Amino acid sequence: MARRTLPILKNLTHRPTPAHFLPKPDPNTRSVTYMPRPGDGAPRPVTLIPGDGIGPLVTNAVEQVMEAMHAPVYFERYDVHGDLKRVPAEVIESIRKNKVCLKGGLKTPMGGGVSSLNVQLRKELDLYASLVNCFNLPGLPTRHENVDIVVIRENTEGEYAGLEHEVVPGVVESLKVITKFCSERIAKYAFEYAYLNNRKKVTAVHKANIMKLADGLFLESCREVAKKYPSINYNEIIVDNCCMQLVSKPEQFDVMVTPNLYGNLVANTAAGIAGGTGVMPGGNVGADHAVFEQGASAGNVGNEKLWEQKKANPVALLLSSAMMLRHLQFPSFADRLETAVKRVISEGKYRTKDLGGVSSTQEVVDAVIANLD
C-alpha cells in the first residue's frame, strides 16, 4: 500500500556557507524573477518506486534532500520489484493521478519470458520520449571536455516491442516495429526540446543503410520535422559510426534523436564518456505523465555489493529529481539542489568509488544537504 510522507513546510533559514569552487549566484544580478501563479506553492504528490538493488538507497537520498530544503513535494511510496509479472494496478493509478513519478531501477530477469516492468511502465503510460543529459561536471576529470549531449530516444516501439516467437525449434523471430506516427512525434519532441533549450543541432542516429524500410521511415520522419525548424541544424549519422565518433569527438554532438535500441546504447556510451552512469540524470515523458530516474543505469541496478556496502552514487537520481522539480514548476528548488550537488562534486571531498572516492551514499547526501543555500 502507499505510504505518504509530507515534509513540514516552514520558513527557510540560511546558514553560513563555506568557500566553494563554484561561486554563489548574486541575487543582485537577477533582472527578472520567477512569478508563480497563485497556488503554485501547494505541495505536490509524487509517486515513489524505490525499486531493486541500489534503488532504495538512492531514492532515500532524494527523500532526505527534499525534506532538508523543504521542497513542496511529498511521496506516495510503492514497493515494486522487477521479478513481478506486471506493474500493480494501484501503482499505475497513482502515477496517472499524480502525473509524476520518481523511481529507482527495476531489475529485469534475463530470459525466462518475464517482461521488463520498465518497458511496461513506458507503454502503459505512453512515455514515448526518454531523455538523458550527459555532460561534464566541474571538477570531475574525464577523457573529454566540453561534453553536453542530450540523447532523446523513442521509448515505445522498435526492438522493444517484445514481438518474438519461435518459428520452429531452434529458430526465433524477433520483430522490429517502426511507425510513422511514433517516429514523427519523437522527432517533434527532439526539435521542440532543442528550440526551447537554445540548442543548435539535432542529430538523427540510424542504420538505414541496412534497414532501409524501418530506419528509412524514421529518417524520413526526422527530415520532415527538421524543415519546420530552420534555425536548428540537422544531420544524420549511422549508429556504428556514431559510437566511434562519441568516444573520439563527443563534443561535436548536441541533441541526438534515436530509435529505441540505439538510444539505449548511445546514452550509456555518452554517460561513460562524460563521467559515468552514476552522475547522469534522465527521465521518461509523455503527453500526460513523467517518470524520472537515473539516466543511464548499465550495471548498477542489480549491484548487490554496492547495496550491502551502502556506497551507491546518489548524484544521478539527485540531478534527476532537480529535473523533476523544474517539471513541477519549482525552479528555485531545482537550482538550489543542482548547485549543491555540483559544489560537492567540484570540491571532491565526498565522492563514491565510481568517481574515485571512498565515501558512502549517506556521506554524499550529508555533504549535499550542507551545501544547500
Side-chain angles (χ1 to χ4, degrees), residues 10-36:
K10 53 188 178 183
N11 291 332
L12 300 176
T13 58
H14 294 276
R15 51 179 170 269
T17 304
H20 295 289
F21 289 103
L22 294 178
K24 290 177 61 176
D26 182 358
N28 295 322
T29 64
R30 187 181 299 151
S31 57
V32 179
T33 190
Y34 167 68
M35 186 175 72

Side-chain angles (χ1 to χ4, degrees), residues 113-133:
V114 179
S115 63
S116 167
L117 296 193
N118 299 296
V119 174
Q120 283 186 29
L121 267 177
R122 296 166 196 161
K123 290 185 176 180
E124 186 74 26
L125 299 169
D126 197 25
L127 305 172
Y128 66 86
S130 165
L131 186 150
V132 180
N133 192 185

Side-chain angles (χ1 to χ4, degrees), residues 97-113:
K97 172 176 66 74
N98 297 333
K99 308 295 185 184
V100 177
C101 173
L102 182 73
K103 67 179 281 289
L106 293 171
K107 187 176 181 180
T108 301
M110 300 295 179

Side-chain angles (χ1 to χ4, degrees), residues 70-178:
H70 314 292
V73 299
Y74 62 92
F75 294 103
E76 296 180 358
R77 177 193 294 266
Y78 291 86
D79 291 323
V80 180
H81 300 284
D83 56 0
L84 297 177
K85 291 185 177 180
R86 292 203 59 80
V87 179
E90 60 267 25
V91 178
I92 298 293
E93 182 57 33
S94 174
I95 300 174
R96 290 192 191 280
K97 172 176 66 74
N98 297 333
K99 308 295 185 184
V100 177
C101 173
L102 182 73
K103 67 179 281 289
L106 293 171
K107 187 176 181 180
T108 301
M110 300 295 179
V114 179
S115 63
S116 167
L117 296 193
N118 299 296
V119 174
Q120 283 186 29
L121 267 177
R122 296 166 196 161
K123 290 185 176 180
E124 186 74 26
L125 299 169
D126 197 25
L127 305 172
Y128 66 86
S130 165
L131 186 150
V132 180
N133 192 185
C134 303
F135 57 94
N136 293 123
L137 284 164
L140 183 64
T142 60
R143 291 180 180 271
H144 299 276
E145 297 180 353
N146 302 316
V147 177
D148 187 7
I149 302 170
V150 174
V151 181
I152 294 176
R153 161 192 174 194
E154 204 293 317
N155 234 0
T156 60
E157 57 178 18
E159 293 85 352
Y160 285 62
L163 300 175
E164 296 183 313
H165 66 279
E166 189 173 40
V167 182
V168 296
V171 178
V172 173
E173 185 176 52
S174 180
L175 302 179
K176 172 178 176 174
V177 177
I178 298 288

Side-chain angles (χ1 to χ4, degrees), residues 15 51 73 84 127 185 195 270 279 285 335 347 356 370:
R15 51 179 170 269
V73 299
L84 297 177
L127 305 172
R185 70 175 180 175
Y195 171 68
V279 295
V285 67
D335 291 343
E347 288 180 334

Side-chain angles (χ1 to χ4, degrees), residues 178-197:
I178 298 288
T179 65
K180 187 173 182 62
F181 173 78
C182 289
S183 296
E184 280 188 348
R185 70 175 180 175
I186 195 63
K188 288 177 182 176
Y189 183 82
F191 277 93
E192 185 176 55
Y193 175 89
Y195 171 68
L196 293 174
N197 288 277

